[in-house]
Amino acid sequence: MVLSQPELLFTFDEARFGLKSWYRRRWAPTGVRAPWPTDDRYQWLWLYAAVEPASGNCFFLTLPYVNSACMNVFMKEMANAFSDREILLVMDNAPSHTSGALQWPKNIAGLHLPPYSPELNPAERLFQELREPLANEVFEDVDHLESRLTDTLRPYWETPKLITDIAGYPWLLNAVELCSHQDI
């Protein structure tokens, strides 16, 4: 599907967050090993994230898997949240993003990035920012992880400038500005 003139350009990706601990640097006195909390349980949830670099609009949803069915749920919910707007959703070429089983809502069209180019997707930078405050923690279960992840996301939807600071690549903002002044 091609939209005549999309009103919003979102970049999209998903990231896995789980109970298995991941680490960041910790301070300890010289010669003393820093204590590291550990958890090796393999239970996960996936954060689906769409961010609009120009305005800071964002849409997040946690789902249990990365597959076409979950992608359809995400797009349906996003289409409902922005039902009065036409959206261009920029994403990578993951199998769940290119599946023939996807059901594209009427107000969303997809644009795929070139293969092997995660540096072009500003949504990737958001995940780096989200992992930092969750590092070095052990969560009781996936529900507690999801609650903590939601608390970590809250500033991003309450303060859109945080999204534009992370995702507002100058070349992308220039392209959006240029396209908004031309008929595509």
Side-chain angles (χ1 to χ4, degrees), residues 13-14 67 83 99 152 157 181:
D13 210 354
E14 64 276 303
N67 59 26
S83 60
S99 169
T152 305
W157 71 69
H181 295 298

Side-chain angles (χ1 to χ4, degrees), residues 9 11 24-25 27 39 46 58-59 65 70 81 105 107 109 134 136 138 151 153 164 166 174-175 182 184:
L9 180 135
T11 62
R24 294 292 189 261
R25 289 184 179 186
W27 180 88
D39 192 343
W46 293 84
C58 53
F59 185 79
Y65 307 104
C70 287
N107 64 327
L134 299 175
N136 303 330
V138 174
D151 292 342
L153 285 168
T164 59
I166 292 171
N174 289 339
Q182 296 180 1
I184 299 177

Side-chain angles (χ1 to χ4, degrees), residues 10-168:
F10 279 88
T11 62
F12 165 81
D13 210 354
E14 64 276 303
R16 181 175 69 179
F17 290 84
L19 298 183
K20 184 170 174 55
S21 302
W22 64 90
Y23 306 110
R24 294 292 189 261
R25 289 184 179 186
R26 296 184 73 164
W27 180 88
T30 303
V32 176
R33 186 180 190 131
W36 295 99
T38 61
D39 192 343
D40 289 332
R41 291 178 290 166
Y42 288 92
Q43 295 176 342
W44 314 99
L45 62 85
W46 293 84
L47 175 65
Y48 285 64
V51 298
E52 187 184 28
S55 70
N57 280 329
C58 53
F59 185 79
F60 304 111
L61 193 61
T62 55
L63 293 165
Y65 307 104
V66 169
N67 59 26
S68 299
C70 287
M71 185 69 184
N72 284 333
V73 168
F74 175 82
M75 287 195 304
K76 180 180 177 187
E77 293 297 322
M78 186 174 180
N80 289 339
F82 297 94
S83 60
D84 59 334
R85 311 291 291 277
E86 290 189 342
I87 299 168
L88 181 61
L89 194 61
V90 179
M91 63 186 89
D92 60 25
N93 289 292
S96 62
H97 305 170
T98 58
S99 169
L102 289 181
Q103 300 165 353
W104 289 91
K106 290 181 181 180
N107 64 327
I108 298 179
L111 176 66
H112 294 281
L113 292 168
Y116 309 107
S117 57
E119 70 280 0
L120 297 178
N121 191 346
E124 293 278 352
R125 292 238 2 256
L126 175 65
F127 298 134
Q128 291 173 351
E129 296 289 325
L130 293 175
R131 289 190 193 287
E132 188 68 33
L134 299 175
N136 303 330
E137 286 191 42
V138 174
F139 300 98
E140 187 175 321
D141 55 28
V142 174
D143 292 335
H144 285 90
L145 169 63
E146 184 174 16
S147 174
R148 182 76 168 80
L149 182 59
T150 301
D151 292 342
T152 305
L153 285 168
R154 188 173 320 286
Y156 293 98
W157 71 69
E158 290 177 348
T159 311
K161 173 105 172 71
L162 294 174
I163 295 288
T164 59
D165 288 348
I166 292 171

